[in-house]
Amino acid sequence: MKEINYDNLRMTATASDGIHTMELYIDSGFASFTVSFSISQRDFNVLEQNEERAALLCAALHHPFQLRKTHLSLEMQRYYLDKILHSPAREAEEFLTEKDHGSANGAISNFIRLIYGREQSLMRQGKWFN
């Protein structure tokens, strides 16, 4: 078994016998819980090699998983994974900016600001990658 553990993000990815999973630890008001879902080997490889994309994925997924009504379907989980982990940087930035300006209402950029001390105004302008 191989495990990638980003303690600062409260996120873990695991590979065991060809099965790859990702776990996010979510805080929502007074409740804390874990969300687990399947990922591909390709996703696992990016999570292992690129902490910045892992952090952006975690930040983007945290908001919709906080509430049952905004919980992502399997198809939308795949869409988030593909956009953030595998798209060119500009395309990932456009996706993150759209979500951050939309229903997340700044929560994605705020998450990265809190965890990494990055300038939130730059992310709000669409500049997500260092």
Side-chain angles (χ1 to χ4, degrees):
M1 181 169 95
K2 188 171 189 180
E3 186 172 278
I4 306 164
N5 192 3
Y6 288 113
D7 289 330
N8 58 332
L9 299 174
R10 300 178 63 211
M11 178 178 81
T12 304
T14 307
S16 180
D17 296 325
I19 298 170
H20 301 83
T21 57
M22 182 171 163
E23 282 190 344
L24 294 173
Y25 303 93
I26 306 292
D27 290 319
S28 180
F30 295 108
S32 294
F33 53 93
T34 303
V35 175
S36 298
F37 54 93
S38 295
I39 60 173
S40 69
Q41 172 72 51
R42 184 174 171 227
D43 300 333
F44 186 87
N45 292 343
V46 174
L47 292 171
E48 184 176 39
Q49 298 167 9
N50 192 324
E51 184 176 351
E52 185 172 34
R53 285 195 185 246
L56 294 171
L57 177 66
C58 183
L61 290 173
H62 193 269
H63 172 260
F65 280 124
Q66 285 183 310
L67 299 173
R68 188 174 305 278
K69 70 179 182 176
T70 57
H71 200 276
L72 296 174
S73 67
L74 293 176
E75 293 81 19
M76 285 306 294
Q77 289 172 28
R78 179 79 262 150
Y79 188 71
Y80 273 61
L81 289 161
D82 288 340
K83 282 291 186 183
I84 297 169
L85 297 182
H86 307 297
S87 292
R90 187 71 218 135
E91 193 175 323
E93 287 178 325
E94 289 171 2
F95 176 76
L96 290 162
T97 302
E98 176 189 326
K99 295 298 177 193
D100 197 53
H101 285 216
S103 63
N105 196 29
I108 301 169
S109 57
N110 190 52
F111 185 102
I112 298 298
R113 179 188 67 81
L114 291 170
I115 300 296
Y116 289 101
R118 303 229 336 244
E119 179 59 47
Q120 188 172 8
S121 65
L122 293 174
M123 292 178 280
R124 296 287 287 167
Q125 293 170 31
K127 298 171 183 144
W128 293 83
F129 290 97
N130 279 332

